Amino acid sequence: MKRILCVLLCLVLALSCLTACSKDSGGTKVGVSMPTKDLQRWNQDGDNMKKSLEAAGYTVDLQYASNDVATQLKQIEAMISGGCNVIVIAAIEGSSLGSALDKAKAKNIPVIAYDRLLMESDAVSYYATFDNYKVGEVQGNYIKDTLDLDNAAGPFNMEITGGDPGDNNAGFFFNGAYDVLKPYVESGKLVIVSGQNTFEQIATPSWSTETAQTRAENIISSNYTDKDIDVWLCSNDSTALGVENALAANYTGKYPIITGQDCDIANTKNMIAGKQSMSVFKDTRTLASQVVKMVGQILKKETVDVNDTSTYNNGKITVPSFLCEPVFADANNYKSILIDSGYYTEDQLK
Ligand code: BGC
């Protein structure tokens, strides 16, 4: 009996070793550098990347940099000296990682820019993101259609809250939306009462909810004590949350249309409660699986899938990119895109 048990145990051990070995892509190590744990999306991105890369048999070194550039630099340098074969980076500040990227290049370590483009460097092999300009267009078109800007008499009052100036995506989001809305601003159908309509004026350093809230509170108290705000264009959910908090704190007029991006849990709850009109859903699982595919193609020296080779110039080179499709989300379709797809459970949105 003992003998049979022993043989069985050996068989199980041998089998599990075999599976582990067959999944192991030659001890290949992938570094994943994420900006911060403060925002829901990066936690999801990091988790999805780690899971998918490990499922593909890679060893993963996943690091979060607390939104601190010096920390991100150190973490990437440790990935280089720690033997990572490919490094995937979602930068805090696109232009500040040059010294680490140079070191990666010197060691022939391919670098993939994840979601945010790495700027001013020729050491970036590929870029995978969502179509950032399109995200803005989806927001702008939503405002155009909901206010029926082509037919309604207006004028409508609008304010804008954008993203972090250190994040190359922020300009794309703003331009995508503003290119749709600009003709109506110029014709006077949309009125930006605060007068703040340049990217510099509407930007929110670090995409901070608190900073967006403080600015929105100032705009409301200086301009909207006797007027309604019809629409507040917000580039993403963390900044939309700041605007929503400011409206709850010191605004009594008609509730505006508010845009967002990411379908964060707090914002999806606000959409369901009627406090945010829409968001743009960027399924982090889609991006993660695209990047895992890229990693595999790079390591096997296969042709890497890209679908854009002209848009993303980082100041030094135009980086071959794969752009995933962003999806419109609101209180009417969130169940099918967020719950039925397994992104959230119903309980998470209660
Ligand atoms: C991402 C957005 C995110 C923002 C703040 C951007 O680079 O593309 O999805 O909302 O950063 O983290």
Side-chain angles (χ1 to χ4, degrees), residues 149 155-156 158 178-192 197:
L149 289 176
F156 300 104
M158 175 169 88
Y178 204 62
D179 286 350
V180 175
L181 301 173
K182 197 169 168 214
Y184 306 98
V185 174
E186 284 172 352
S187 73
K189 209 172 261 189
L190 281 175
V191 182
I192 300 171
N197 67 349

Side-chain angles (χ1 to χ4, degrees), residues 123-170:
V124 191
S125 311
Y126 295 97
Y127 179 37
T129 188
F130 284 85
D131 187 334
N132 296 305
Y133 185 83
K134 197 163 192 179
V135 169
E137 273 186 328
V138 171
Q139 296 167 336
N141 279 321
Y142 175 79
I143 292 171
K144 179 183 155 194
D145 295 345
T146 311
L147 291 177
D148 192 14
L149 289 176
D150 283 334
N151 302 302
F156 300 104
N157 296 331
M158 175 169 88
E159 295 299 332
I160 308 172
T161 295
D164 183 356
D167 177 353
N168 187 56
N169 290 353

Side-chain angles (χ1 to χ4, degrees), residues 32-44:
V32 179
S33 167
M34 287 283 148
T36 173
K37 270 188 168 275
D38 290 353
L39 248 73
Q40 187 195 319
R41 75 150 294 182
W42 302 114
N43 291 287
Q44 274 167 273

Side-chain angles (χ1 to χ4, degrees), residues 64-303:
Y64 289 88
S66 311
N67 257 342
D68 179 53
V69 174
T71 304
Q72 189 163 40
L73 268 171
K74 266 198 213 126
Q75 290 174 338
I76 296 169
E77 280 166 9
M79 287 172 187
I80 298 168
S81 56
C84 284
N85 302 82
V86 178
I87 301 180
V88 178
I89 303 172
I92 296 164
E93 226 307 317
S95 312
S96 305
L97 300 176
S99 55
L101 298 179
D102 288 345
K103 287 183 189 155
K105 191 179 173 191
K107 286 199 161 187
N108 285 324
I109 302 171
V111 169
I112 301 176
Y114 184 96
D115 194 84
R116 299 172 171 173
L117 187 56
L118 292 158
M119 306 301 290
E120 306 298 334
S121 168
D122 64 359
V124 191
S125 311
Y126 295 97
Y127 179 37
T129 188
F130 284 85
D131 187 334
N132 296 305
Y133 185 83
K134 197 163 192 179
V135 169
E137 273 186 328
V138 171
Q139 296 167 336
N141 279 321
Y142 175 79
I143 292 171
K144 179 183 155 194
D145 295 345
T146 311
L147 291 177
D148 192 14
L149 289 176
D150 283 334
N151 302 302
F156 300 104
N157 296 331
M158 175 169 88
E159 295 299 332
I160 308 172
T161 295
D164 183 356
D167 177 353
N168 187 56
N169 290 353
F172 278 89
F173 301 145
F174 174 65
N175 290 333
Y178 204 62
D179 286 350
V180 175
L181 301 173
K182 197 169 168 214
Y184 306 98
V185 174
E186 284 172 352
S187 73
K189 209 172 261 189
L190 281 175
V191 182
I192 300 171
V193 179
S194 69
Q196 298 180 25
N197 67 349
T198 64
F199 180 71
E200 290 66 33
Q201 290 170 318
I202 57 95
T204 310
S206 303
W207 295 94
S208 150
T209 298
E210 292 71 27
T211 307
Q213 178 170 345
T214 306
R215 177 170 166 267
E217 281 172 354
N218 289 335
I219 289 179
I220 294 167
S221 58
S222 319
N223 303 282
Y224 291 99
T225 48
D226 56 352
K227 277 186 208 76
D228 285 340
I229 309 166
D230 296 295
V231 50
W232 206 306
L233 166 68
C234 298
S235 285
N236 85 329
D237 278 356
S238 62
T239 54
L241 203 57
V243 168
E244 286 150 27
N245 293 343
L247 290 168
N250 69 346
Y251 173 73
T252 49
K254 191 180 113 210
Y255 202 82
I257 292 168
I258 301 179
T259 63
Q261 158 180 207
D262 293 334
C263 288
D264 282 351
I265 290 183
N267 299 73
T268 308
K269 284 184 181 170
N270 274 359
M271 284 204 295
I272 298 166
K275 293 183 198 152
Q276 180 170 320
S277 317
M278 59 83 74
S279 191
V280 180
F281 180 48
K282 304 196 304 188
D283 194 330
T284 49
R285 296 168 301 187
T286 311
L287 185 57
S289 68
Q290 192 60 43
V291 174
V292 172
K293 194 170 171 192
M294 266 185 177
V295 169
Q297 289 168 331
I298 292 173
L299 291 170
K300 287 183 212 135
K301 305 217 178 323
E302 292 171 2
T303 309

